[in-house]
Amino acid sequence: MFSVIRPVMSLYDQDTFDKQFMKDLQKAKNSVIIESPFIRSVRIDHLLPTLARLRRRGVCIIINTRNPSEHDEAYAIQAENAVSELQSLGIKVLFTVKHHRKIVVIDEEVFYEGSLNVLSFYDSCEIMRRTVSVLEAKTLIKFIGLGRYLNESEKI
């Protein structure tokens, strides 16, 4: 699908990120890992149809975020509702205390890293680097410690 020997990198901002990200997300065949500390209802509503299609195709989806209790009340309610919706699709949701990483890894081959909160961004100045590299993607998964969840997850 994306395989190359040398990493291919490109940069995106808050205005250009979503178009490429959604293309990559829709092509996912095996797995999607999203690390985003914040969750907003509007953003989840935008992503849910695609995530639901991926789950129906048997794609393993893992989301790592902050526990909703770490947010102020308004964000906590949004995060709790979003987590419930995600889990109802069979998405594995993990909570990491003081989580602040913004990373996406698709099919252990394409990954994004930067400052953009994938599950919440709205109106801020951000940057995301997209890299295509199996070796670097697998290194990143190992570094963040989420590989074991890919192996544990059930496909539907």
Side-chain angles (χ1 to χ4, degrees):
M1 178 167 101
F2 297 104
S3 222
V4 294
I5 294 175
R6 229 174 51 193
V8 175
M9 292 180 258
S10 14
L11 293 173
Y12 297 89
D13 65 14
Q14 66 283 351
D15 299 322
T16 59
F17 166 77
D18 209 45
K19 184 176 179 181
Q20 181 62 53
F21 172 65
M22 293 304 290
K23 281 183 190 178
D24 288 339
L25 192 60
Q26 291 165 359
K27 291 178 186 176
K29 298 203 180 323
N30 300 307
S31 63
V32 175
I33 296 171
I34 299 174
E35 288 205 314
S36 181
F38 302 102
I39 299 177
R40 289 181 60 246
S41 298
V42 172
R43 184 68 179 153
I44 292 298
D45 291 345
H46 172 69
L47 294 172
L48 271 177
T50 300
L51 297 175
R53 275 192 301 278
L54 293 176
R55 285 300 297 141
R56 284 192 298 273
R57 289 195 332 238
V59 174
C60 170
I61 303 173
I62 299 165
I63 292 178
N64 189 21
T65 189
R66 287 183 179 186
N67 190 306
S69 67
E70 290 187 54
H71 302 299
D72 65 33
E73 189 175 346
Y75 277 115
I77 292 168
Q78 285 187 60
E80 287 170 5
N81 291 337
V83 165
S84 179
E85 286 184 86
L86 294 164
Q87 290 174 327
S88 74
L89 295 175
I91 294 172
K92 177 103 175 147
V93 180
L94 308 171
F95 299 118
T96 299
V97 174
K98 296 184 181 181
H99 185 278
H100 204 68
R101 294 187 300 238
K102 292 94 172 178
I103 297 170
V104 176
V105 184
I106 300 172
D107 289 339
E108 300 181 65
E109 188 170 359
V110 174
F111 66 93
Y112 292 85
E113 57 187 336
S115 63
L116 190 143
N117 284 291
V118 175
L119 301 180
S120 71
F121 89 94
Y122 170 65
D123 185 24
S124 55
C125 183
E126 305 291 347
I127 188 170
M128 288 299 266
R129 178 186 312 268
R130 177 183 184 268
T131 303
V132 180
S133 169
V134 171
L135 177 63
E136 290 192 32
K138 288 184 178 201
T139 300
L140 179 59
I141 292 168
K142 184 176 180 182
F143 182 81
I144 62 176
L146 296 184
R148 68 178 183 249
Y149 295 103
L150 289 175
N151 299 329
E152 286 178 4
S153 293
E154 298 174 1
K155 293 191 175 194
I156 60 172

